[in-house]
Amino acid sequence: MIAAILSLTLLGAVLGLGLGVAARKFAVEGDPLADEIAALMPGSNCGQCGMAGCAVAAAGIADGSVPVTCCPPGGRALATALAEKLGVTLDLSSVADSGPQIAVIAEDLCIGCCRCLKVCPTDALVGAAKQIHSVIREACTGCGNCVERCPTEAATMKPVPVTLQHWVWPKPATAVA
Amino acid sequence: MGLIEKFLHNLKAPRWGVHPDDHKRPAADAPLRELPLPKRLYIPLQQHVGQPARPIVLVGQTVLKGQLIAEAQGNISAPVHASASGRVVSIGEVTAPHPSGLPLVAIGIEPDGLDTTAELTIPADPFALSPAELTRLVAAAGVVGLGGATFPSSVKLALGKRSEVTTLIVNGGECEPYLSCDDRVMRDFAASVIDGVRLMLHAMGAREALVGIEDNKPEAIAAMKRASATFPEIKVRPVPARYPMGSDRQLIVTLTGKEVPSDCRAADVGVIVNNVSTANAVHRAIRLGEPLIRRIVTVNGGAVWQPGNILAPIGTLASDLLAFAGLKSEPARIVMGGPMMGAVLPHAKVPIVKGTSGILAFNEDEIAAPEAGACIRCGTCTSACPMGLLPLEMAAQIRAGSLNGAEALGLADCIACGCCAYVCPSHIPLVQYFSHAKGELSEQSRSRLRNEATKRLAAERVVRLEREAIEKAEAAARRKAERAAQKAAEAAKSATESKETEAAE
Amino acid sequence: MTHNLTLTAPPTAPHTLAANSISRIMLTVAATLAPATLYGFWLYGWPSIFLWVITVLAALFGEALCIKLAGRSVVSALSDGSALLTGWLLAISLPPWAPWWIGVLGGLFATILAKQVFGGLGFNLFNPAMVGRVFLLISFPVQMTVWVAPLPITAASAPGFHDGLLIAAHGIPSMDAVSSATLLGFAKTELSRGIDLLHSLAGTNAPGIVLSGARSGSMGETASLLILAGGMVLIFLRIISWHIPAALLAGLALPAAIAHGIDPTRYLDASSHLFSGGAMLGAFFIATDYVTSPNSRIGQLVFGAGCGFLTFVIRTWGGYPEGMAFAVLLMNAMTPVIDRYIRPRILGRDWRGAPLDPATQKGKS
């Protein structure tokens, strides 16, 4: 009886000690995960997530303080990729709700001031001084920087229109669990 | 069908697929009717796979019947012609023949009722033309696959020529219930279809043509056999009536024993499939010089008073067709295409397009769909699937949100034929699961591409800003240097001047 | 012309559905079981009828209770017929004169613990009726192995309505009077006493007795021919496919025939194996349960053969004379593995899922 108690106690102590040593010895320095996540991010530093650039957001996602669905330009594809990387379950509905948006410039309001050109992270705005600017739809990430800078409110955000080619069948509602 | 005949039929039939009630008669036996010219035609610019056509007419302009009104743009595209003579009244959005109810751009024409035909160019002997020339004529006529896939026929012919295809398979399967437009084409225009087949053989340089017709259409088989009797290269082959026999991969394997590898096109195994109605359209385009401006549409369903096949100009509204055939009751659902794969229409004010094989108006009883229950893993869907997939496992993956899991099970091979959902005893909307997953996956891949493009653009911007900064710095340095040099020169000058003055003093 | 973006999902294709439903399937299966069951009623009289009614009611009650607790509609859940079928299958696998509480416990256990706990129809890993039977066999070995010799309901010595009620309530009054062993049980006990089969079975193995089913056993075991006929009807109606039954019977008969050929004194012949115990019931009604059997045709062949072979092994070398229930449960546990590794071949791909080679396909015909 006493032998059994002793041997088990000893076993527990030795194994516990081993675990403690291993935790110290093999502790991971730095955060390679954040770098890997940063590589997945768009990298345009648009600031739509409310953080100062993609690297900061990646660090936040890595330590779990920021949800994987934080990046509107990355959309559902990025959210899925991040969730897979982190092994978390994902609620895509929150990403779907906002929907992708792009900037649109009202031609009758634009005064050709060139301010929006300077803040666009992907050079999606073209124009010259005293010329009406316009948005290259394919390049716009929908960050909204131009909207903030526009002095005449000519730049606005509009949801990307759903087209026949991009329409997706809704997922069937499940009646029974 | 007697029990013994049914048993024999089941023995012969392939193991995949389903055998729904075909509901083809009496509509298939009713004589072909021609629709009187409707008040308005709305001819969509995109009625085919590929780039939409570009309009080349203006609102208010008068057009002739068969006149080109929108030209093809890009490699895979098809031109669009006026279905009737009249005045262009609008170029704008109409509801697309698509379940989403989204708009698409169409040219609105108000027919003048005169049917003045544009000048036609008809080659004297098309078999004297080179295959490339013949293909060009087919392309100019805007002929696309009329079985529903609407792939531009000229592209297919050129592909057949390029990949040295030996066999043309002519699809007279028409396995969808309710539809009989191909049946009608074969019965009424067998000689034209056979002529079109010969033209396509010539354009592709293929050796033989196999016409596959389901054995539930004996009249069509007889008519096609008669018409092809003098052409040994064209063989009419009855095939067992089994849905989806009219799907190209299934028809190919039934007629030739060849399986199209999943990452290949039919042309890669030396076969090209074309629909019988497409053959008829090729015949009309080459022999009569008539572009694809009309087609036979089956109007059928429980809510239709006089079901049958109607010859209608492209761009006719479904509501005009239904009004012509008469409605017994307000339809509970209007479908374009067949009941197995057709698209539900949001309303009847939707134009028919080149690929419209039928307009079905169903009553409540026909579409009664009990509520979906839980999957009992009965495996009926697995045995019905003509592609050998596991629909229940794929749906379970999609339900759990694992689209990649569904992809690993072969989602990409799904042809959305609807056999699985048709037989499911729990009435699970399996096709909707797969359509959703396919759409979502392509959306994700688009989004991934976009993300990469954004990354590249952002990197390029950084490079641009750095370059500009360097350039700016260089320019500033240069200006500074210039200014310094100027200053030095001025200083030197003033120094010598002062020295001179000093010296002068 | 207006276009409105549909907010809810539009109706999806196909727009026509086969007239097929779960309740239709379950009720058809029940209907094909009816002749064998009625024959069993005739053979074993009133006690068996009471036991059947009690077991079915217990199964339905267990199902209803769980559905109620889950807050779903009891009527629509019961109308799918699956609980009825579970109770029915369990009832005809019990000793016909077992006391009432055997049926109650078995029925409740089958629907509550073997089915609803897993999430209800479609989610259970094991065949509920067989889980119920095995639970009873392990917990109450005495009651579950007392078999009566057939005593047709019309016979003078058969218990009437009132006596039947008493038997169902208290169990068999004087066991020795009526009890008898099943063929498999008899063979096993005699073998263990050192009497070889040639001698022990000399009188009992007459083919006429085997085929008419007038021998001791459960209702589903003695009426083998009626069960077989019902199974054939199911195959003809395409409710089940031939793969599992054929593979199961082959998996049982082949090793039995080989073993019998080697040593007829120790091993029963194939036809005794096929027509006794739960072989037929298991092949056509138990192993073919949709939920707990594999999906693909080849997987079903493997599954069936496994059930048959395990049954033979358990009957021959195991502690119990009958092994169908254990064999089916063991193979049920294998079903997810079979489904994982044996999949149908996708058209245009090879068995591994890689696309076919276009060159070989082009060369065909």
Side-chain angles (χ1 to χ4, degrees):
Chain A
M1 178 75 178
I2 290 170
I5 291 174
L6 276 181
S7 64
L8 278 180
T9 313
L10 200 69
L11 198 67
V14 170
L15 288 178
L17 204 69
L19 275 178
V21 170
R24 288 282 171 86
K25 191 167 167 81
F26 302 111
V28 180
E29 295 289 331
D31 200 356
L33 188 60
D35 295 339
E36 277 180 46
I37 289 172
L40 290 173
M41 310 281 292
S44 57
N45 296 328
C46 69
Q48 262 188 99
C49 52
M51 272 157 284
C54 292
V56 182
I61 292 170
D63 66 30
S65 60
V66 177
V68 290
T69 54
C70 70
C71 179
R76 287 192 227 181
L78 179 65
T80 325
L82 289 176
E84 206 165 289
K85 175 125 246 159
L86 297 174
V88 295
T89 49
L90 177 63
D91 181 21
L92 273 179
S93 57
S94 63
V95 194
D97 284 346
S98 62
Q101 293 204 317
I102 55 167
V104 178
I105 292 182
E107 290 169 2
D108 48 347
L109 292 176
C110 179
I111 53 170
C113 67
C114 286
R115 282 181 212 182
C116 54
L117 310 190
K118 297 201 180 88
V119 294
C120 180
T122 53
D123 285 342
L125 286 148
V126 289
K130 308 274 187 231
Q131 306 283 317
I132 295 169
H133 307 331
S134 64
V135 182
I136 303 170
R137 281 177 59 165
E138 287 73 31
C140 177
T141 61
C143 69
N145 286 355
C146 49
V147 176
E148 280 166 30
R149 285 302 292 270
C150 184
T152 60
E153 293 183 358
T156 46
M157 299 304 293
K158 291 268 162 66
V160 178
V162 184
T163 60
L164 277 178
Q165 285 76 28
H166 296 175
W167 184 77
V168 178
W169 271 96
K171 188 172 173 178
T174 36
V176 186
Chain B
M1 217 180 332
L3 261 184
I4 295 170
E5 284 155 53
K6 195 169 177 182
F7 182 70
L8 287 178
H9 181 94
N10 282 347
L11 270 190
K12 266 192 303 177
R15 262 170 300 172
W16 44 258
V18 294
H19 191 71
D21 263 355
D22 69 5
H23 293 280
K24 286 185 190 281
R25 291 158 210 267
D29 296 329
L32 182 65
R33 285 170 290 173
E34 192 168 347
L35 184 78
L37 214 47
K39 280 206 191 65
R40 278 285 169 86
L41 296 170
Y42 293 93
I43 308 171
L45 297 178
Q46 174 129 43
Q47 305 181 38
H48 47 263
V49 174
Q51 293 269 29
R54 197 164 55 89
I56 55 165
V57 289
L58 297 172
V59 175
Q61 189 178 331
T62 309
V63 292
L64 301 173
K65 183 179 180 180
Q67 184 184 331
L68 183 72
I69 52 174
E71 59 185 15
Q73 52 174 357
N75 284 335
I76 299 180
S77 185
V80 173
H81 302 82
S83 315
S85 64
R87 202 167 57 86
V88 176
V89 288
S90 66
I91 300 179
E93 295 186 334
V94 297
T95 307
H98 189 266
S100 67
L102 287 166
L104 98 173
V105 180
I107 298 177
I109 290 179
E110 192 177 56
D112 55 14
L114 303 174
D115 259 359
T116 333
T117 311
E119 225 169 275
L120 302 173
T121 46
I122 302 169
D125 179 13
F127 291 98
L129 295 175
S130 72
E133 185 64 15
L134 204 56
T135 305
R136 202 190 55 73
L137 287 177
V138 171
V143 179
V144 300
L146 295 184
T150 66
F151 194 80
S153 300
S154 56
V155 181
K156 240 182 185 177
L157 292 178
L159 175 72
K161 181 81 192 150
R162 206 167 50 242
S163 18
E164 292 170 356
V165 158
T166 53
T167 310
L168 168 67
I169 288 184
V170 185
N171 188 347
E174 196 163 58
C175 52
E176 277 264 13
Y178 288 91
L179 298 185
S180 51
C181 58
D182 289 349
D183 187 10
R184 214 57 247 179
V185 165
M186 289 188 282
R187 288 199 220 180
D188 294 346
F189 307 107
S192 312
V193 172
I194 294 296
D195 185 60
V197 171
R198 291 179 60 226
L199 290 167
M200 287 199 279
L201 281 176
H202 179 60
M204 294 197 301
R207 263 204 323 267
E208 56 162 4
L210 302 176
V211 187
I213 306 172
E214 277 196 354
D215 57 13
N216 60 357
K217 297 184 253 299
E219 300 91 343
I221 294 173
M224 291 292 283
K225 278 196 167 148
R226 257 198 315 281
S228 64
T230 48
F231 305 108
E233 72 273 25
I234 301 175
K235 300 175 192 87
V236 175
R237 292 272 175 84
V239 291
R242 185 101 184 140
Y243 180 85
M245 187 57 87
S247 163
D248 53 0
R249 279 161 199 254
Q250 276 67 31
L251 190 62
I252 291 171
V253 86
T254 308
L255 284 178
T256 68
K258 296 177 183 179
E259 270 185 46
V260 182
S262 64
D263 58 347
C264 291
R265 279 178 298 212
D268 294 327
V269 295
V271 179
I272 286 251
V273 183
N274 267 300
N275 188 269
V276 285
S277 296
T278 316
N280 187 38
V282 167
H283 159 83
R284 295 186 75 84
I286 305 294
R287 299 286 190 172
L288 311 177
E290 182 195 271
L292 182 52
I293 53 172
R294 52 170 218 171
R295 69 158 295 149
I296 297 176
V297 179
T298 304
V299 179
N300 204 347
V304 177
W305 186 51
Q306 283 185 307
N309 285 285
I310 301 174
L311 187 61
I314 303 291
T316 305
L317 294 181
S319 54
D320 288 336
L321 276 171
L322 289 175
F324 179 70
L327 286 174
K328 276 193 278 196
S329 57
E330 187 59 30
R333 186 180 297 177
I334 304 172
V335 169
M336 183 174 281
M340 297 296 284
M341 290 182 75
V344 63
L345 297 181
H347 51 73
K349 300 272 184 201
V350 171
I352 64 158
V353 290
K354 291 173 180 174
T356 303
S357 44
I359 296 290
L360 307 179
F362 293 120
N363 58 30
E364 285 290 350
D365 297 341
E366 285 169 297
I367 58 162
E371 208 177 308
C375 174
I376 58 165
R377 299 179 50 81
C378 63
T380 319
C381 52
T382 308
S383 45
C385 181
M387 296 303 292
L389 299 169
L390 293 165
L392 77 170
E393 301 281 357
M394 295 201 297
Q397 293 280 345
I398 297 166
R399 199 178 305 125
S402 166
L403 298 181
N404 296 335
E407 215 176 11
L409 286 168
L411 179 65
D413 288 299
C414 168
I415 55 171
C417 64
C419 288
C420 50
Y422 173 80
V423 294
C424 180
S426 285
H427 317 292
I428 299 170
L430 291 158
V431 175
Q432 195 185 341
Y433 275 107
F434 306 146
S435 310
H436 162 76
K438 285 179 199 165
E440 194 65 42
L441 281 170
S442 66
E443 173 67 39
Q444 285 187 6
S445 75
R446 265 200 305 277
S447 160
R448 241 187 325 272
L449 286 179
R450 206 183 149 77
N451 212 344
E452 278 161 23
T454 305
K455 214 177 233 179
R456 204 184 58 242
L457 285 170
E460 277 170 8
R461 179 170 191 263
V462 171
V463 173
R464 176 178 72 86
L465 288 179
E466 278 171 7
R467 195 183 61 230
E468 280 180 1
I470 293 170
E471 279 170 6
K472 221 176 244 172
E474 280 173 359
R478 215 168 31 243
R479 271 202 302 280
K480 202 174 169 188
E482 273 170 22
R483 258 204 311 279
Q486 211 176 353
K487 224 174 233 169
E490 271 172 22
K493 205 175 161 192
S494 62
T496 41
E497 272 174 12
S498 62
K499 258 182 199 162
E500 276 165 17
T501 30
E502 264 173 36
E505 278 171 7
Chain C
M1 193 171 275
T2 57
H3 44 78
N4 49 334
L5 188 61
T6 43
L7 291 173
T8 52
T12 176
H15 305 284
T16 175
L17 298 176
N20 196 6
S21 69
I22 295 175
S23 50
R24 181 178 158 269
I25 291 172
M26 298 291 173
L27 294 179
T28 315
V29 175
T32 54
L33 268 182
T37 312
L38 289 176
Y39 182 62
F41 288 165
W42 182 76
L43 277 183
Y44 299 111
W46 285 106
S48 66
I49 299 178
F50 294 131
L51 183 69
W52 181 87
V53 171
I54 286 167
T55 313
V56 167
L57 283 181
L60 288 173
F61 177 76
E63 176 105 341
L65 185 75
C66 292
I67 299 289
K68 188 89 184 164
L69 287 178
R72 299 211 313 271
S73 158
V74 173
V75 176
S76 71
L78 287 190
S79 65
D80 68 22
S82 62
L84 167 78
L85 196 60
T86 298
W88 193 323
L89 284 171
L90 176 65
I92 63 173
S93 74
L94 297 177
W97 285 22
W100 64 276
W101 48 268
I102 286 278
V104 170
L105 283 179
L108 291 179
F109 194 89
T111 44
I112 296 176
L113 279 169
K115 182 174 164 196
Q116 290 296 336
V117 161
F118 284 88
L121 182 63
F123 297 97
N124 49 306
L125 197 57
F126 298 101
N127 186 315
M130 286 305 102
V131 173
R133 188 186 137 78
V134 165
F135 154 75
L136 291 173
L137 187 60
I138 294 172
S139 312
F140 312 105
V142 176
Q143 285 82 355
M144 284 297 287
T145 47
V146 173
W147 308 92
V148 292
L151 200 57
I153 198 163
T154 47
S157 58
F161 184 84
H162 184 250
D163 289 340
L165 264 183
L166 284 180
I167 289 172
H170 303 297
I172 301 167
S174 59
M175 269 180 196
D176 297 337
V178 283
S179 79
S180 158
T182 63
L183 173 66
L184 292 171
F186 179 66
K188 185 146 235 145
T189 36
E190 294 298 288
L191 262 183
S192 65
R193 284 168 49 199
I195 302 169
D196 71 34
L197 292 176
L198 291 179
H199 292 92
S200 65
L201 294 183
T204 53
N205 203 16
I209 299 175
V210 171
L211 294 184
S212 73
R215 57 197 161 91
S216 60
S218 67
M219 281 182 263
E221 139 170 4
T222 52
S224 281
L225 281 185
L226 286 174
I227 296 279
L228 175 67
M232 287 300 176
V233 171
L234 285 184
I235 291 179
F236 182 76
L237 292 176
R238 301 200 163 200
I239 286 184
I240 60 173
S241 70
W242 57 267
H243 300 77
I244 290 180
L248 193 152
L249 296 178
L252 178 61
L254 281 182
I258 293 170
H260 184 70
I262 292 170
D263 186 0
T265 59
R266 288 192 57 77
Y267 302 104
L268 279 171
D269 61 317
S271 71
S272 300
H273 268 290
L274 288 184
F275 287 98
S276 61
M280 286 296 161
L281 188 69
F284 289 95
F285 290 90
I286 307 280
T288 51
D289 172 34
Y290 289 151
V291 182
T292 54
S293 64
N295 258 302
S296 63
R297 294 295 179 230
I298 298 173
Q300 292 178 350
L301 289 177
V302 173
F303 175 84
C307 286
F309 182 70
L310 283 176
T311 305
F312 169 76
V313 168
I314 297 171
R315 281 180 178 182
T316 311
W317 296 293
Y320 288 92
E322 170 55 325
M324 181 55 75
F326 292 106
V328 169
L329 290 184
L330 285 171
M331 288 311 285
N332 283 163
M334 291 294 290
T335 296
V337 181
I338 295 175
D339 269 342
R340 174 90 173 73
Y341 289 104
I342 301 182
R343 288 182 184 160
R345 188 173 71 84
I346 298 173
L347 188 76
R349 291 178 184 273
D350 62 16
W351 284 103
R352 288 213 200 98
L356 292 176
D357 175 26
T360 46
Q361 294 300 320
K362 193 170 185 170
K364 274 192 192 174
S365 75

